Amino acid sequence: MSAASRRDTSKRDGILIAVLIIVAVGLIVHLATGRSGDDPATAADQQEQQAQRESTGADPLADLPRREPGDPMALGEPGAPVTMVMYEDYRCPFCAKFSTDIAPELIERYVDRGVLRMEWRDLPIFGEQSLAAARAGRAAAEQGRFWEFTEAVYAASPDRGHPDLTPERLREFAQQAGVADLDRFSSALDSTRYDADIEADMREGTTIGVSSTPTFIINGKPVLGAQPLDIFVSVIEEAAAGS
């Protein structure tokens, strides 16, 4: 890599790290108030946020779905009546819990029936390895294996703490996911080609107040954390009935 390329890479990483710091500060404040993704108090927070949006007549959450045909980081029909925008970090244990325990059931019940569309957003808040993993996810998506890669990473996630996602480990997950050209995958992983899109996801999340992972926006209604299946079912059914 040339000196100019290294400078460009350092500059881009510096911008992303700055955004990460902003998100991390929000997360710290979120945790300091005694709220986590699985805290029952979040239900009251969600109701308060919804009331504020209704009182102002503005609901930026309703405009989040992109509905791009052929998006490799989305599942379900672009015109599905219910959309779930998912802000996740590959090193987040609660994201892994959702992926392994909840997502398969939602896919079977709603995505496969054309009711639900799930759209991924990168929110890498747990350091440099989270950023590298976000790049890896997009490198896998480029070869049509995004969801298989995501499933492989989360299946190996520890019950507590954050997994060690080194470049070597990410390449192993890509191989497990069936990524055909691993050299191409590794080259993309070492580049900054996806950083602008990752940064756009992060800015979108912070703009609407997302400060922890996982966070889900279902037809404009936020659901925070890896909630029980019946919570997701209730919100999706209500959204489908009102569509």
Side-chain angles (χ1 to χ4, degrees), residues 22-78:
I22 293 172
V23 177
V25 169
L27 178 62
I28 291 170
V29 172
H30 186 75
L31 294 176
T33 59
R35 298 165 187 158
S36 68
D38 290 76
D39 193 328
T42 57
D45 297 337
Q46 294 169 19
Q47 292 175 0
E48 180 180 354
Q49 292 168 6
Q50 184 70 21
Q52 290 174 349
R53 290 193 297 272
E54 291 174 353
S55 66
T56 60
D59 190 357
L61 302 186
D63 297 325
L64 290 176
R66 297 168 186 168
R67 296 184 180 275
E68 297 174 358
D71 181 356
M73 297 169 65
L75 285 175
E77 296 296 327

Side-chain angles (χ1 to χ4, degrees), residues 9 46 52 99-100 117 130 133-134 157 190 208 222 229:
T9 299
Q46 294 169 19
Q52 290 174 349
S99 176
T100 57
R117 177 174 173 85
S130 292
S157 181
D190 291 338
I208 62 172
L229 175 62

Side-chain angles (χ1 to χ4, degrees), residues 67-68 70-80 82-86 98-99 103-104 106-108 110-112 114-121 144-148 150-151:
R67 296 184 180 275
E68 297 174 358
D71 181 356
M73 297 169 65
L75 285 175
E77 296 296 327
V82 182
T83 58
M84 173 190 287
V85 179
M86 312 155 58
F98 170 81
S99 176
L106 297 183
I107 292 169
E108 181 179 350
Y110 301 110
V111 175
D112 292 346
V115 175
L116 176 67
R117 177 174 173 85
M118 301 167 67
E119 295 187 359
W120 176 280
R121 300 289 190 271
R145 307 300 290 178
F146 173 77
W147 293 101
E148 293 83 357
T150 299
E151 182 179 346

Side-chain angles (χ1 to χ4, degrees), residues 40-238:
T42 57
D45 297 337
Q46 294 169 19
Q47 292 175 0
E48 180 180 354
Q49 292 168 6
Q50 184 70 21
Q52 290 174 349
R53 290 193 297 272
E54 291 174 353
S55 66
T56 60
D59 190 357
L61 302 186
D63 297 325
L64 290 176
R66 297 168 186 168
R67 296 184 180 275
E68 297 174 358
D71 181 356
M73 297 169 65
L75 285 175
E77 296 296 327
V82 182
T83 58
M84 173 190 287
V85 179
M86 312 155 58
Y87 294 91
E88 299 201 28
D89 182 319
Y90 285 106
R91 300 187 70 218
C92 166
F94 295 114
C95 296
K97 180 178 177 61
F98 170 81
S99 176
T100 57
D101 297 351
I102 307 298
E105 187 70 25
L106 297 183
I107 292 169
E108 181 179 350
R109 289 195 191 190
Y110 301 110
V111 175
D112 292 346
R113 290 170 44 214
V115 175
L116 176 67
R117 177 174 173 85
M118 301 167 67
E119 295 187 359
W120 176 280
R121 300 289 190 271
D122 282 307
L123 194 67
I125 60 177
F126 295 113
E128 283 295 323
Q129 288 193 355
S130 292
L131 175 57
R135 290 170 176 160
R138 289 174 183 267
E142 200 169 71
Q143 298 192 46
R145 307 300 290 178
F146 173 77
W147 293 101
E148 293 83 357
F149 174 82
T150 299
E151 182 179 346
V153 173
Y154 282 148
S157 181
D159 292 336
R160 296 181 180 275
H162 309 296
D164 190 23
L165 298 181
T166 63
E168 295 76 19
R169 194 76 176 107
L170 293 170
R171 183 181 171 98
E172 290 176 6
F173 288 129
Q175 185 174 26
Q176 293 175 24
V179 173
D181 191 336
L182 291 176
D183 289 339
R184 177 182 165 196
F185 171 87
S186 295
S187 177
L189 178 59
D190 291 338
S191 74
T192 59
R193 61 190 295 181
Y194 310 113
D195 288 8
D197 291 332
I198 295 171
E199 184 179 344
D201 280 1
M202 295 169 67
R203 290 190 184 281
E204 177 187 274
T206 55
T207 296
I208 62 172
V210 176
S211 60
S212 64
T213 55
T215 291
F216 308 93
I217 310 297
I218 303 175
N219 275 25
K221 182 172 183 177
V223 177
L224 310 182
Q227 300 293 337
L229 175 62
D230 60 351
I231 297 295
F232 287 99
V233 168
S234 176
V235 176
I236 292 170
E237 293 283 357
E238 180 180 354

